[in-house]
């Protein structure tokens, strides 16, 4: 079935530690790929996006993500986590078939907790 | 720009009542989206508009839900009559058209009792 999968519902890391959040997609063609962040009680904010080209993309707040076609993955990384990064992170896709673009389809999210 | 503005932030209503959620998109954005977020189903697109015209309402759960965009700076999502299963956080988002780049409001938390 077509889907966006975030296998980790909740992750806890220590402040200063590195972070990797996983995202896999299951679609016939490579969609456009996105990561959004939702702080408690807030709306979603775009962290970064991948359309084509360089498979390592840089985003805001020190985040980066790597697209791996062979694994149908778009994992989010950060070398050193800050307490303010505690939030919920959503992977999302936009399908792009034959020039017709769809809308954002979100994964179920990964909640990140940061230990002092 | 103040961003996407939604009102109210919280709404508690009784089953059977009419509920109206409001959204002011970012000026100059010509796409407007309504999403619903629940624990069970995550984030779901309900409907989106382009230049005030509804383009895709396939995500609207049933006829009790309706959305309008009378002008470029205002949209409403109405539920009539409301039911407890409509309890969720409703987000409005706007976009200038770049695929996937949406700016979200802070949401309206709706509780139907």
């Amino acid at each position: 079935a077509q889907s966006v999968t975030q296998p980790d519902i909740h992750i806890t890391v220590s402040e200063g530690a590195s972070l990797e959040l996983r995202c896999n997609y299951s679609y016939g063609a490579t969609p456009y790929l996105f990561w959004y962040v939702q702080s408690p009680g807030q709306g979603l904010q775009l962290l970064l996006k991948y359309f084509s080209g360089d498979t390592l993309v840089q985003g805001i707040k020190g985040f980066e993500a790597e697209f791996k076609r062979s694994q149908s993955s778009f994992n989010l990384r950060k070398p050193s986590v800050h307490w303010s990064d505690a939030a919920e992170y959503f992977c999302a896709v936009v399908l792009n078939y034959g020039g017709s673009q769809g809308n954002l389809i979100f994964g179920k999210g990964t909640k990140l907790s940061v230990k002092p | 720009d103040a961003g996407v503005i939604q009102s109210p932030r919280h709404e508690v209503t009784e089953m059977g009542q009419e509920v109206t959620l409001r959204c002011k998109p970012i000026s100059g954005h010509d796409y407007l989206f309504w999403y619903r977020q629940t624990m069970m189903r995550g984030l779901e697109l309900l409907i989106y508009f382009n230049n005030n015209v509804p383009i895709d309402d396939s995500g609207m759960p049933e006829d009790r839900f309706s959305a309008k965009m009378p002008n470029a700076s205002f949209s409403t999502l109405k539920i009539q009559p409301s039911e407890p299963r409509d309890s969720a956080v409703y987000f409005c988002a706007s976009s200038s058209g770049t695929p996937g780049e949406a700016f979200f409001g802070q949401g309206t938390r709706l509780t139907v009792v």
Side-chain angles (χ1 to χ4, degrees):
Chain A
Q2 296 184 328
S3 65
V4 180
T5 302
Q6 295 181 246
D8 303 306
I9 296 174
H10 190 186
I11 284 182
T12 300
V13 301
S14 297
E15 190 168 15
S18 63
L19 170 70
E20 182 168 26
L21 302 182
R22 296 182 289 165
C23 173
N24 293 93
Y25 61 90
S26 175
Y27 292 94
T30 301
Y32 298 149
L33 298 158
F34 306 83
W35 276 97
Y36 277 81
V37 60
Q38 183 180 25
S39 298
Q42 302 297 314
L44 282 75
Q45 180 184 21
L46 179 64
L47 281 177
L48 46 77
K49 64 188 178 189
Y50 174 78
F51 286 0
S52 64
D54 192 346
T55 57
L56 185 64
V57 294
Q58 303 296 321
I60 62 172
K61 305 186 181 187
F63 286 91
E64 65 179 26
E66 185 172 14
F67 167 61
K68 292 186 177 179
R69 184 186 304 275
S70 61
Q71 299 177 17
S72 297
S73 69
F74 188 55
N75 294 349
L76 182 71
R77 302 196 294 245
K78 187 169 185 178
S80 177
V81 169
H82 187 262
W83 64 266
S84 60
D85 293 325
E88 190 155 18
Y89 292 81
F90 293 90
C91 181
V93 306
V94 168
L95 304 181
N96 180 27
Y97 292 140
S100 172
Q101 292 171 359
N103 296 297
L104 280 164
I105 301 169
F106 287 92
K108 290 294 180 70
T110 297
K111 184 175 182 180
L112 173 67
S113 297
V114 180
K115 291 189 299 185
Chain B
D1 200 318
V4 176
I5 299 173
Q6 291 186 246
S7 64
R9 289 293 310 277
H10 302 272
E11 177 80 37
V12 180
T13 191
E14 291 185 347
M15 182 173 62
Q17 296 298 306
E18 177 180 295
V19 176
T20 299
L21 312 181
R22 296 172 175 79
C23 175
K24 176 178 167 53
I26 292 173
S27 177
H29 283 187
D30 49 10
Y31 286 83
L32 184 139
F33 308 84
W34 282 100
Y35 286 87
R36 180 172 67 175
Q37 185 179 37
T38 61
M39 290 290 291
M40 290 296 294
R41 300 175 66 89
L43 275 157
E44 304 172 281
L45 177 66
L46 300 177
I47 185 171
Y48 82 94
F49 296 82
N50 180 215
N51 292 322
N52 313 337
V53 176
I55 303 300
D56 183 355
D57 65 354
S58 60
M60 296 286 261
E62 46 196 278
D63 292 346
R64 297 185 297 107
F65 286 69
S66 63
K68 294 182 179 179
M69 192 165 186
N71 57 62
S73 59
F74 184 66
S75 177
T76 59
L77 178 67
K78 185 177 294 186
I79 308 172
Q80 165 63 19
S82 57
E83 296 182 4
R85 60 194 168 117
D86 301 330
S87 297
V89 181
Y90 291 81
F91 287 103
C92 175
S94 69
S95 168
S96 59
T98 302
E101 288 194 13
F103 292 79
F104 284 75
Q106 291 185 298
T108 296
R109 180 175 295 277
L110 173 65
T111 303
V112 183
V113 298

